[in-house]
Amino acid sequence: MSNCKVETCTVETSDGVKLSTRLFKPREEINKGNPVVVLVHPYSVLGGCQGLLRGIAAGLADRGYKAVTFDMRGVGRSTGRASLTGFAEIKDVIAVCKWVCENLSADRILLVGSSAGAPIAGSAVDQIEQVVGYVSLGYPFGMIASILFGRHHKAVLQSPKPKFFIMGTKDGFTSVQQLKNKLSSAAGRVETHLIEGVSHFQMEGPAYDAQMVNLIVEFIASL
C-alpha cells in the first residue's frame, strides 16, 4: 500500500484543451534536486489512461520522487479529442511539463512513455529544455505500429538526451531485432533492458510496476 499523497489539478494546453492531472508527492522528498517524473499513458484510442500508470507513479513517490500522470485529450475528464497518430497529444505533454516547471519549481524532468505514450513523449523530448532524460516502456517500433507512429521515431532517435528503452522479449508490436535495428542509429547515450518472456500488455500490467520503478530509479541515478 502506497504512502504517498495524491493531488489533482487541471492543466490547460496551448490550444485550450483542459487535462485532468494527478501529482503524486512523497511523504519525504529525498533530494530536492531530483527530476520530476512525468508519465505518458498508453494509446488513448485503445483505452489508455493515466490510471494505468498509478502503480508506477505511486511507487516513485514512495521512493522520494514527485511523479505526474495525466489523461491526454479526449480521455477521462480531459477535454478535446484523441488523435489517431498522437501528434496533437505532443501539445499535452509539453503543457504538463510546463506546468511542472512553473508550479513545482522543477528545472529537471524525466519523461516516461508507456506503449503508444512512448512515441508521443519521445516527440516532446527536445521541445522541453528541462527534460534531462527519456524512458520508454514498450516503444511500438514494429511495422504495423509504425503506420500510426512511424513519424514520431526520428525525434527521439535524433535527440542527444539520454534514453532508456525497456521492453519484453515477447512484445507483439516490436521484436528484439527491430528494437536493435532502430536504436543502432540513435544519437547520444542509449540503454536497453529486455525482460525475458514478457509480452507487451503483460509489461503494462500491475505485476511489473515494481520492476519498472526500480529500473526508472536506477536510470535517474545515472543522469
Side-chain angles (χ1 to χ4, degrees):
M1 186 72 178
S2 176
N3 196 31
C4 68
K5 295 176 283 187
V6 183
E7 297 175 3
T8 59
C9 64
T10 301
V11 172
E12 189 163 344
T13 68
S14 60
D15 58 344
V17 172
K18 291 180 172 61
L19 305 172
S20 172
T21 305
R22 293 178 195 146
L23 168 62
F24 294 74
K25 293 171 82 172
R27 293 286 171 189
E28 288 181 49
E29 205 169 346
I30 302 167
N31 179 349
K32 291 207 183 298
N34 277 337
V36 175
V37 183
V38 173
L39 298 123
V40 184
H41 67 69
Y43 198 30
S44 303
V45 178
L46 292 181
C49 63
Q50 65 177 324
L52 296 172
L53 298 171
R54 183 184 179 88
I56 296 174
L60 288 166
D62 286 343
R63 298 283 287 271
Y65 298 90
K66 287 177 182 159
V68 176
T69 66
F70 62 99
D71 282 327
M72 290 189 274
R73 59 188 61 211
V75 174
R77 294 183 178 177
S78 294
T79 64
R81 196 172 180 178
S83 74
L84 273 178
T85 58
F87 273 90
E89 284 80 355
I90 298 168
K91 293 190 188 90
D92 302 349
V93 179
I94 292 169
V96 170
C97 288
K98 188 179 173 189
W99 180 91
V100 164
C101 294
E102 291 172 355
N103 292 273
L104 304 180
S105 304
D107 58 1
R108 297 174 78 223
I109 291 171
L110 177 73
L111 261 184
V112 178
S114 174
S115 188
I120 294 166
S123 284
V125 163
D126 282 346
Q127 296 192 48
I128 305 151
E129 186 188 340
Q130 293 82 359
V131 169
V132 294
Y134 165 85
V135 178
S136 153
L137 311 178
Y139 196 118
F141 274 127
M143 292 287 286
I144 293 171
S146 292
I147 295 167
L148 290 171
F149 307 117
R151 287 188 301 136
H152 288 279
H153 297 177
K154 189 176 174 184
V156 73
L157 294 175
Q158 290 188 346
S159 172
K161 295 178 180 179
K163 297 173 278 294
F164 186 25
F165 292 82
I166 303 167
M167 194 181 87
T169 59
K170 300 284 187 190
D171 190 299
F173 293 100
T174 308
S175 68
V176 172
Q177 194 56 51
Q178 283 170 327
L179 179 69
K180 287 178 178 172
N181 290 348
K182 276 291 181 184
L183 299 186
S184 65
S185 63
R189 178 181 141 205
V190 183
E191 294 177 37
T192 58
H193 181 91
L194 297 174
I195 303 176
E196 194 62 42
V198 174
S199 72
H200 187 88
F201 293 110
Q202 250 183 307
M203 201 178 88
E204 277 184 23
Y208 287 88
D209 285 351
Q211 191 173 349
M212 297 303 118
V213 169
N214 288 337
L215 290 167
I216 291 167
V217 168
E218 284 172 22
F219 183 64
I220 290 171
S222 74
L223 294 174

Short mmCIF file of all heavy atoms in Angstrom, two decimals, residues 117-181:
data_model
loop_
_atom_site.label_atom_id
_atom_site.label_comp_id
_atom_site.label_asym_id
_atom_site.label_seq_id
_atom_site.Cartn_x
_atom_site.Cartn_y
_atom_site.Cartn_z
N GLY A 117 2.34 5.87 -25.61
CA GLY A 117 2.80 7.08 -24.91
C GLY A 117 4.29 7.32 -25.11
O GLY A 117 4.77 8.45 -24.97
N ALA A 118 5.03 6.24 -25.47
CA ALA A 118 6.48 6.38 -25.68
C ALA A 118 6.81 7.21 -26.92
O ALA A 118 7.62 8.14 -26.84
CB ALA A 118 7.13 5.00 -25.74
N PRO A 119 6.20 6.94 -28.10
CA PRO A 119 6.47 7.82 -29.24
C PRO A 119 6.00 9.26 -29.02
O PRO A 119 6.65 10.21 -29.44
CB PRO A 119 5.72 7.16 -30.41
CG PRO A 119 4.92 6.05 -29.84
CD PRO A 119 5.47 5.72 -28.50
N ILE A 120 4.86 9.42 -28.32
CA ILE A 120 4.35 10.77 -28.07
C ILE A 120 5.33 11.53 -27.16
O ILE A 120 5.71 12.67 -27.45
CB ILE A 120 2.94 10.70 -27.44
CG1 ILE A 120 1.94 10.13 -28.46
CG2 ILE A 120 2.47 12.09 -26.98
CD1 ILE A 120 0.60 9.69 -27.86
N ALA A 121 5.75 10.89 -26.08
CA ALA A 121 6.73 11.51 -25.17
C ALA A 121 8.04 11.77 -25.91
O ALA A 121 8.67 12.82 -25.74
CB ALA A 121 6.97 10.62 -23.96
N GLY A 122 8.44 10.82 -26.75
CA GLY A 122 9.70 10.97 -27.49
C GLY A 122 9.71 12.17 -28.41
O GLY A 122 10.73 12.83 -28.59
N SER A 123 8.55 12.47 -28.99
CA SER A 123 8.46 13.64 -29.88
C SER A 123 8.54 14.95 -29.11
O SER A 123 8.81 16.00 -29.70
CB SER A 123 7.16 13.59 -30.68
OG SER A 123 7.25 12.65 -31.72
N ALA A 124 8.31 14.89 -27.80
CA ALA A 124 8.34 16.11 -26.98
C ALA A 124 9.70 16.36 -26.32
O ALA A 124 9.96 17.47 -25.84
CB ALA A 124 7.26 16.04 -25.90
N VAL A 125 10.56 15.35 -26.30
CA VAL A 125 11.81 15.41 -25.53
C VAL A 125 12.62 16.67 -25.80
O VAL A 125 13.04 17.37 -24.86
CB VAL A 125 12.67 14.14 -25.80
CG1 VAL A 125 14.10 14.34 -25.38
CG2 VAL A 125 12.09 12.95 -25.06
N ASP A 126 12.87 16.97 -27.06
CA ASP A 126 13.72 18.13 -27.39
C ASP A 126 12.94 19.44 -27.49
O ASP A 126 13.51 20.49 -27.76
CB ASP A 126 14.50 17.88 -28.68
CG ASP A 126 15.70 16.97 -28.43
OD1 ASP A 126 16.07 16.77 -27.25
OD2 ASP A 126 16.26 16.45 -29.41
N GLN A 127 11.62 19.37 -27.27
CA GLN A 127 10.82 20.60 -27.26
C GLN A 127 10.72 21.18 -25.86
O GLN A 127 10.15 22.26 -25.67
CB GLN A 127 9.43 20.33 -27.83
CG GLN A 127 9.45 19.90 -29.30
CD GLN A 127 8.07 19.91 -29.92
OE1 GLN A 127 7.32 20.88 -29.78
NE2 GLN A 127 7.72 18.84 -30.61
N ILE A 128 11.26 20.47 -24.87
CA ILE A 128 11.20 20.92 -23.48
C ILE A 128 12.62 20.93 -22.93
O ILE A 128 13.25 19.89 -22.74
CB ILE A 128 10.32 19.96 -22.63
CG1 ILE A 128 8.93 19.82 -23.25
CG2 ILE A 128 10.22 20.45 -21.19
CD1 ILE A 128 8.26 18.50 -22.98
N GLU A 129 13.13 22.14 -22.72
CA GLU A 129 14.52 22.30 -22.29
C GLU A 129 14.81 21.54 -21.00
O GLU A 129 15.90 20.98 -20.82
CB GLU A 129 14.78 23.81 -22.09
CG GLU A 129 16.21 24.16 -21.77
CD GLU A 129 16.37 25.63 -21.39
OE1 GLU A 129 15.49 26.44 -21.72
OE2 GLU A 129 17.38 25.95 -20.75
N GLN A 130 13.85 21.51 -20.09
CA GLN A 130 14.09 20.93 -18.76
C GLN A 130 14.12 19.41 -18.74
O GLN A 130 14.47 18.80 -17.73
CB GLN A 130 13.02 21.43 -17.77
CG GLN A 130 13.09 22.91 -17.46
CD GLN A 130 12.40 23.78 -18.52
OE1 GLN A 130 11.86 23.27 -19.51
NE2 GLN A 130 12.41 25.09 -18.33
N VAL A 131 13.74 18.77 -19.84
CA VAL A 131 13.80 17.30 -19.90
C VAL A 131 15.27 16.87 -19.96
O VAL A 131 16.00 17.27 -20.86
CB VAL A 131 13.00 16.74 -21.10
CG1 VAL A 131 13.29 15.25 -21.30
CG2 VAL A 131 11.52 16.97 -20.88
N VAL A 132 15.67 16.04 -18.98
CA VAL A 132 17.08 15.62 -18.89
C VAL A 132 17.25 14.16 -19.32
O VAL A 132 18.38 13.68 -19.44
CB VAL A 132 17.64 15.83 -17.47
CG1 VAL A 132 17.70 17.31 -17.13
CG2 VAL A 132 16.82 15.06 -16.42
N GLY A 133 16.14 13.45 -19.52
CA GLY A 133 16.24 12.05 -19.93
C GLY A 133 14.88 11.51 -20.32
O GLY A 133 13.84 12.14 -20.07
N TYR A 134 14.90 10.33 -20.94
CA TYR A 134 13.69 9.73 -21.51
C TYR A 134 13.71 8.23 -21.26
O TYR A 134 14.74 7.57 -21.44
CB TYR A 134 13.68 10.02 -23.01
CG TYR A 134 12.70 9.20 -23.83
CD1 TYR A 134 11.37 9.59 -23.96
CD2 TYR A 134 13.12 8.03 -24.48
CE1 TYR A 134 10.49 8.83 -24.73
CE2 TYR A 134 12.24 7.28 -25.23
CZ TYR A 134 10.92 7.68 -25.36
OH TYR A 134 10.05 6.94 -26.10
N VAL A 135 12.56 7.71 -20.82
CA VAL A 135 12.41 6.26 -20.63
C VAL A 135 11.21 5.77 -21.44
O VAL A 135 10.12 6.36 -21.36
CB VAL A 135 12.21 5.89 -19.14
CG1 VAL A 135 12.01 4.38 -18.98
CG2 VAL A 135 13.40 6.35 -18.30
N SER A 136 11.41 4.71 -22.21
CA SER A 136 10.34 4.09 -22.98
C SER A 136 9.99 2.74 -22.38
O SER A 136 10.88 1.91 -22.15
CB SER A 136 10.80 3.91 -24.43
OG SER A 136 10.13 2.83 -25.03
N LEU A 137 8.71 2.52 -22.12
CA LEU A 137 8.22 1.22 -21.67
C LEU A 137 7.44 0.59 -22.83
O LEU A 137 6.28 0.91 -23.05
CB LEU A 137 7.31 1.39 -20.44
CG LEU A 137 7.84 2.26 -19.29
CD1 LEU A 137 6.79 2.37 -18.18
CD2 LEU A 137 9.15 1.71 -18.75
N GLY A 138 8.12 -0.24 -23.61
CA GLY A 138 7.45 -0.91 -24.72
C GLY A 138 7.16 -0.02 -25.92
O GLY A 138 6.01 0.08 -26.36
N TYR A 139 8.21 0.65 -26.46
CA TYR A 139 8.03 1.52 -27.63
C TYR A 139 7.59 0.68 -28.84
O TYR A 139 8.24 -0.29 -29.19
CB TYR A 139 9.35 2.22 -27.96
CG TYR A 139 9.23 3.42 -28.87
CD1 TYR A 139 9.59 4.68 -28.45
CD2 TYR A 139 8.74 3.29 -30.18
CE1 TYR A 139 9.48 5.79 -29.29
CE2 TYR A 139 8.63 4.38 -31.02
CZ TYR A 139 9.00 5.64 -30.57
OH TYR A 139 8.88 6.72 -31.41
N PRO A 140 6.45 1.05 -29.49
CA PRO A 140 5.97 0.26 -30.63
C PRO A 140 6.70 0.61 -31.93
O PRO A 140 6.22 1.40 -32.74
CB PRO A 140 4.48 0.62 -30.70
CG PRO A 140 4.39 1.98 -30.10
CD PRO A 140 5.51 2.12 -29.10
N PHE A 141 7.88 0.02 -32.12
CA PHE A 141 8.70 0.30 -33.30
C PHE A 141 8.35 -0.59 -34.50
O PHE A 141 8.86 -0.39 -35.59
CB PHE A 141 10.19 0.06 -32.99
CG PHE A 141 10.91 1.23 -32.39
CD1 PHE A 141 11.61 1.09 -31.20
CD2 PHE A 141 10.92 2.47 -33.01
CE1 PHE A 141 12.31 2.16 -30.65
CE2 PHE A 141 11.61 3.54 -32.47
CZ PHE A 141 12.31 3.38 -31.28
N GLY A 142 7.54 -1.63 -34.30
CA GLY A 142 7.28 -2.62 -35.35
C GLY A 142 6.57 -2.06 -36.57
O GLY A 142 6.08 -0.93 -36.57
N MET A 143 6.50 -2.88 -37.61
CA MET A 143 5.98 -2.45 -38.92
C MET A 143 4.54 -1.94 -38.85
O MET A 143 4.23 -0.86 -39.35
CB MET A 143 6.05 -3.63 -39.91
CG MET A 143 7.46 -4.03 -40.27
SD MET A 143 8.26 -2.85 -41.38
CE MET A 143 7.42 -3.23 -42.90
N ILE A 144 3.65 -2.70 -38.22
CA ILE A 144 2.24 -2.32 -38.21
C ILE A 144 2.03 -1.07 -37.35
O ILE A 144 1.35 -0.12 -37.75
CB ILE A 144 1.36 -3.49 -37.72
CG1 ILE A 144 1.39 -4.61 -38.77
CG2 ILE A 144 -0.08 -3.04 -37.49
CD1 ILE A 144 0.77 -5.91 -38.35
N ALA A 145 2.66 -1.05 -36.16
CA ALA A 145 2.54 0.12 -35.29
C ALA A 145 3.12 1.37 -35.95
O ALA A 145 2.67 2.49 -35.70
CB ALA A 145 3.24 -0.15 -33.96
N SER A 146 4.11 1.17 -36.81
CA SER A 146 4.77 2.31 -37.47
C SER A 146 3.86 3.02 -38.46
O SER A 146 4.11 4.18 -38.82
CB SER A 146 6.06 1.86 -38.17
OG SER A 146 7.01 1.47 -37.20
N ILE A 147 2.81 2.34 -38.91
CA ILE A 147 1.83 3.01 -39.79
C ILE A 147 1.23 4.21 -39.04
O ILE A 147 1.01 5.27 -39.61
CB ILE A 147 0.72 2.02 -40.23
CG1 ILE A 147 1.32 0.92 -41.10
CG2 ILE A 147 -0.41 2.74 -40.95
CD1 ILE A 147 0.40 -0.27 -41.33
N LEU A 148 0.97 4.02 -37.74
CA LEU A 148 0.41 5.10 -36.92
C LEU A 148 1.49 6.00 -36.34
O LEU A 148 1.34 7.22 -36.31
CB LEU A 148 -0.41 4.50 -35.77
CG LEU A 148 -1.74 3.83 -36.14
CD1 LEU A 148 -2.31 3.11 -34.93
CD2 LEU A 148 -2.73 4.85 -36.67
N PHE A 149 2.58 5.41 -35.85
CA PHE A 149 3.54 6.17 -35.03
C PHE A 149 4.92 6.37 -35.66
O PHE A 149 5.80 6.94 -35.04
CB PHE A 149 3.70 5.48 -33.67
CG PHE A 149 2.40 5.22 -32.97
CD1 PHE A 149 1.96 3.93 -32.70
CD2 PHE A 149 1.57 6.28 -32.60
CE1 PHE A 149 0.75 3.69 -32.07
CE2 PHE A 149 0.35 6.05 -31.98
CZ PHE A 149 -0.06 4.75 -31.71
N GLY A 150 5.07 5.92 -36.90
CA GLY A 150 6.39 5.99 -37.55
C GLY A 150 6.98 7.38 -37.63
O GLY A 150 8.21 7.56 -37.52
N ARG A 151 6.14 8.39 -37.79
CA ARG A 151 6.65 9.76 -37.92
C ARG A 151 7.15 10.33 -36.59
O ARG A 151 7.75 11.40 -36.56
CB ARG A 151 5.58 10.67 -38.53
CG ARG A 151 5.39 10.41 -40.03
CD ARG A 151 4.48 11.41 -40.69
NE ARG A 151 3.15 11.42 -40.09
CZ ARG A 151 2.47 12.53 -39.78
NH1 ARG A 151 3.00 13.72 -40.00
NH2 ARG A 151 1.27 12.44 -39.25
N HIS A 152 6.93 9.60 -35.49
CA HIS A 152 7.47 10.02 -34.20
C HIS A 152 8.91 9.55 -33.99
O HIS A 152 9.63 10.11 -33.16
CB HIS A 152 6.63 9.44 -33.05
CG HIS A 152 5.28 10.06 -32.89
ND1 HIS A 152 5.07 11.26 -32.24
CD2 HIS A 152 4.04 9.63 -33.28
CE1 HIS A 152 3.78 11.54 -32.23
NE2 HIS A 152 3.13 10.58 -32.85
N HIS A 153 9.33 8.51 -34.70
CA HIS A 153 10.61 7.86 -34.41
C HIS A 153 11.80 8.82 -34.46
O HIS A 153 12.66 8.81 -33.59
CB HIS A 153 10.89 6.72 -35.41
CG HIS A 153 9.89 5.61 -35.33
ND1 HIS A 153 9.92 4.52 -36.19
CD2 HIS A 153 8.82 5.39 -34.52
CE1 HIS A 153 8.92 3.70 -35.90
NE2 HIS A 153 8.23 4.21 -34.90
N LYS A 154 11.84 9.63 -35.52
CA LYS A 154 13.00 10.48 -35.79
C LYS A 154 13.34 11.39 -34.61
O LYS A 154 14.51 11.53 -34.24
CB LYS A 154 12.72 11.32 -37.04
CG LYS A 154 13.91 12.10 -37.56
CD LYS A 154 13.52 12.81 -38.87
CE LYS A 154 14.63 13.72 -39.34
NZ LYS A 154 14.22 14.47 -40.55
N ALA A 155 12.33 11.98 -33.99
CA ALA A 155 12.56 12.97 -32.93
C ALA A 155 13.34 12.37 -31.76
O ALA A 155 14.33 12.95 -31.29
CB ALA A 155 11.23 13.55 -32.43
N VAL A 156 12.92 11.21 -31.29
CA VAL A 156 13.60 10.64 -30.12
C VAL A 156 14.95 10.02 -30.52
O VAL A 156 15.92 10.11 -29.76
CB VAL A 156 12.71 9.61 -29.38
CG1 VAL A 156 12.56 8.31 -30.14
CG2 VAL A 156 13.24 9.38 -27.97
N LEU A 157 15.03 9.42 -31.69
CA LEU A 157 16.29 8.80 -32.11
C LEU A 157 17.38 9.84 -32.36
O LEU A 157 18.57 9.56 -32.15
CB LEU A 157 16.07 7.94 -33.36
CG LEU A 157 15.17 6.71 -33.18
CD1 LEU A 157 14.93 6.01 -34.51
CD2 LEU A 157 15.78 5.73 -32.16
N GLN A 158 16.99 11.02 -32.78
CA GLN A 158 17.97 12.09 -33.06
C GLN A 158 18.29 12.93 -31.82
O GLN A 158 19.23 13.72 -31.85
CB GLN A 158 17.47 12.99 -34.19
CG GLN A 158 17.48 12.30 -35.54
CD GLN A 158 17.18 13.25 -36.69
OE1 GLN A 158 16.71 14.37 -36.48
NE2 GLN A 158 17.45 12.81 -37.90
N SER A 159 17.53 12.76 -30.76
CA SER A 159 17.77 13.57 -29.56
C SER A 159 19.09 13.17 -28.90
O SER A 159 19.37 11.98 -28.73
CB SER A 159 16.63 13.37 -28.55
OG SER A 159 16.98 14.02 -27.32
N PRO A 160 19.90 14.16 -28.50
CA PRO A 160 21.16 13.86 -27.82
C PRO A 160 20.96 13.49 -26.34
O PRO A 160 21.91 13.07 -25.67
CB PRO A 160 21.95 15.16 -27.95
CG PRO A 160 20.89 16.23 -28.03
CD PRO A 160 19.72 15.61 -28.74
N LYS A 161 19.74 13.62 -25.84
CA LYS A 161 19.49 13.37 -24.41
C LYS A 161 19.52 11.87 -24.11
O LYS A 161 19.18 11.05 -24.97
CB LYS A 161 18.14 13.99 -24.00
CG LYS A 161 18.15 15.52 -24.11
CD LYS A 161 16.81 16.14 -23.75
CE LYS A 161 16.87 17.66 -23.88
NZ LYS A 161 15.59 18.31 -23.57
N PRO A 162 19.91 11.49 -22.88
CA PRO A 162 19.99 10.07 -22.51
C PRO A 162 18.64 9.38 -22.64
O PRO A 162 17.61 9.92 -22.24
CB PRO A 162 20.44 10.10 -21.04
CG PRO A 162 21.10 11.42 -20.86
CD PRO A 162 20.38 12.37 -21.78
N LYS A 163 18.67 8.15 -23.19
CA LYS A 163 17.45 7.40 -23.48
C LYS A 163 17.57 5.97 -22.95
O LYS A 163 18.63 5.36 -23.04
CB LYS A 163 17.21 7.35 -25.00
CG LYS A 163 16.99 8.72 -25.62
CD LYS A 163 16.92 8.66 -27.14
CE LYS A 163 18.28 8.63 -27.80
NZ LYS A 163 19.05 9.86 -27.62
N PHE A 164 16.46 5.45 -22.43
CA PHE A 164 16.43 4.11 -21.85
C PHE A 164 15.19 3.39 -22.36
O PHE A 164 14.07 3.83 -22.12
CB PHE A 164 16.42 4.24 -20.32
CG PHE A 164 16.53 2.94 -19.56
CD1 PHE A 164 17.13 1.81 -20.10
CD2 PHE A 164 16.01 2.85 -18.27
CE1 PHE A 164 17.23 0.63 -19.39
CE2 PHE A 164 16.11 1.68 -17.53
CZ PHE A 164 16.71 0.56 -18.10
N PHE A 165 15.40 2.29 -23.09
CA PHE A 165 14.30 1.53 -23.69
C PHE A 165 14.12 0.20 -22.96
O PHE A 165 15.02 -0.63 -22.96
CB PHE A 165 14.57 1.29 -25.18
CG PHE A 165 14.53 2.55 -26.01
CD1 PHE A 165 15.64 3.39 -26.08
CD2 PHE A 165 13.39 2.91 -26.71
CE1 PHE A 165 15.61 4.55 -26.84
CE2 PHE A 165 13.34 4.07 -27.47
CZ PHE A 165 14.45 4.89 -27.54
N ILE A 166 12.95 0.02 -22.35
CA ILE A 166 12.62 -1.20 -21.62
C ILE A 166 11.56 -1.95 -22.42
O ILE A 166 10.57 -1.36 -22.86
CB ILE A 166 12.07 -0.87 -20.20
CG1 ILE A 166 13.10 -0.03 -19.43
CG2 ILE A 166 11.74 -2.14 -19.44
CD1 ILE A 166 12.54 0.61 -18.15
N MET A 167 11.77 -3.25 -22.62
CA MET A 167 10.83 -4.00 -23.45
C MET A 167 10.83 -5.47 -23.07
O MET A 167 11.86 -6.01 -22.65
CB MET A 167 11.22 -3.85 -24.93
CG MET A 167 10.15 -4.30 -25.91
SD MET A 167 10.69 -4.12 -27.64
CE MET A 167 11.52 -5.70 -27.89
N GLY A 168 9.70 -6.14 -23.22
CA GLY A 168 9.62 -7.58 -23.06
C GLY A 168 10.08 -8.28 -24.33
O GLY A 168 9.82 -7.79 -25.43
N THR A 169 10.75 -9.42 -24.19
CA THR A 169 11.26 -10.11 -25.39
C THR A 169 10.13 -10.72 -26.23
O THR A 169 10.34 -11.06 -27.39
CB THR A 169 12.26 -11.22 -25.01
OG1 THR A 169 11.60 -12.16 -24.15
CG2 THR A 169 13.48 -10.65 -24.30
N LYS A 170 8.94 -10.83 -25.66
CA LYS A 170 7.79 -11.36 -26.41
C LYS A 170 6.81 -10.25 -26.80
O LYS A 170 5.62 -10.49 -27.00
CB LYS A 170 7.03 -12.41 -25.57
CG LYS A 170 7.87 -13.60 -25.16
CD LYS A 170 8.06 -14.56 -26.32
CE LYS A 170 8.74 -15.84 -25.84
NZ LYS A 170 9.16 -16.68 -26.97
N ASP A 171 7.31 -9.01 -26.89
CA ASP A 171 6.46 -7.88 -27.28
C ASP A 171 5.89 -8.13 -28.68
O ASP A 171 6.65 -8.37 -29.62
CB ASP A 171 7.28 -6.59 -27.25
CG ASP A 171 6.43 -5.34 -27.40
OD1 ASP A 171 5.76 -5.19 -28.44
OD2 ASP A 171 6.43 -4.51 -26.47
N GLY A 172 4.57 -8.09 -28.80
CA GLY A 172 3.92 -8.39 -30.07
C GLY A 172 3.98 -7.26 -31.09
O GLY A 172 3.69 -7.46 -32.27
N PHE A 173 4.37 -6.06 -30.65
CA PHE A 173 4.43 -4.91 -31.57
C PHE A 173 5.84 -4.67 -32.10
O PHE A 173 6.01 -4.09 -33.17
CB PHE A 173 3.93 -3.63 -30.87
CG PHE A 173 2.47 -3.68 -30.52
CD1 PHE A 173 2.05 -3.98 -29.24
CD2 PHE A 173 1.52 -3.43 -31.49
CE1 PHE A 173 0.70 -4.03 -28.92
CE2 PHE A 173 0.16 -3.48 -31.19
CZ PHE A 173 -0.25 -3.79 -29.89
N THR A 174 6.85 -5.07 -31.34
CA THR A 174 8.24 -4.82 -31.70
C THR A 174 9.08 -6.04 -31.34
O THR A 174 9.06 -6.48 -30.18
CB THR A 174 8.81 -3.60 -30.94
OG1 THR A 174 7.93 -2.49 -31.11
CG2 THR A 174 10.19 -3.21 -31.44
N SER A 175 9.82 -6.58 -32.30
CA SER A 175 10.72 -7.69 -31.99
C SER A 175 12.01 -7.12 -31.40
O SER A 175 12.33 -5.93 -31.57
CB SER A 175 11.03 -8.49 -33.24
OG SER A 175 11.83 -7.73 -34.14
N VAL A 176 12.78 -7.98 -30.74
CA VAL A 176 14.07 -7.56 -30.17
C VAL A 176 14.97 -7.06 -31.30
O VAL A 176 15.67 -6.05 -31.15
CB VAL A 176 14.73 -8.72 -29.39
CG1 VAL A 176 16.15 -8.35 -28.97
CG2 VAL A 176 13.88 -9.09 -28.17
N GLN A 177 14.94 -7.73 -32.46
CA GLN A 177 15.78 -7.32 -33.59
C GLN A 177 15.35 -5.96 -34.13
O GLN A 177 16.19 -5.11 -34.47
CB GLN A 177 15.71 -8.36 -34.71
CG GLN A 177 16.80 -8.18 -35.77
CD GLN A 177 18.21 -8.16 -35.23
OE1 GLN A 177 18.61 -9.06 -34.49
NE2 GLN A 177 18.97 -7.12 -35.55
N GLN A 178 14.03 -5.72 -34.21
CA GLN A 178 13.54 -4.41 -34.66
C GLN A 178 14.00 -3.30 -33.72
O GLN A 178 14.37 -2.22 -34.16
CB GLN A 178 12.01 -4.43 -34.77
CG GLN A 178 11.49 -5.15 -35.99
CD GLN A 178 9.99 -5.37 -35.95
OE1 GLN A 178 9.40 -5.56 -34.88
NE2 GLN A 178 9.34 -5.35 -37.11
N LEU A 179 13.96 -3.57 -32.41
CA LEU A 179 14.43 -2.59 -31.43
C LEU A 179 15.91 -2.28 -31.66
O LEU A 179 16.32 -1.11 -31.72
CB LEU A 179 14.21 -3.11 -30.01
CG LEU A 179 14.67 -2.19 -28.87
CD1 LEU A 179 13.78 -0.95 -28.77
CD2 LEU A 179 14.68 -2.93 -27.54
N LYS A 180 16.72 -3.33 -31.80
CA LYS A 180 18.17 -3.14 -32.01
C LYS A 180 18.45 -2.37 -33.29
O LYS A 180 19.31 -1.49 -33.33
CB LYS A 180 18.87 -4.50 -32.03
CG LYS A 180 18.98 -5.15 -30.66
CD LYS A 180 19.64 -6.51 -30.75
CE LYS A 180 19.77 -7.12 -29.35
NZ LYS A 180 20.23 -8.53 -29.40
N ASN A 181 17.73 -2.73 -34.36
CA ASN A 181 17.93 -2.04 -35.64
C ASN A 181 17.62 -0.55 -35.53
O ASN A 181 18.38 0.29 -36.04
CB ASN A 181 17.04 -2.66 -36.73
CG ASN A 181 17.48 -4.05 -37.13
OD1 ASN A 181 18.58 -4.48 -36.78
ND2 ASN A 181 16.63 -4.77 -37.84
#
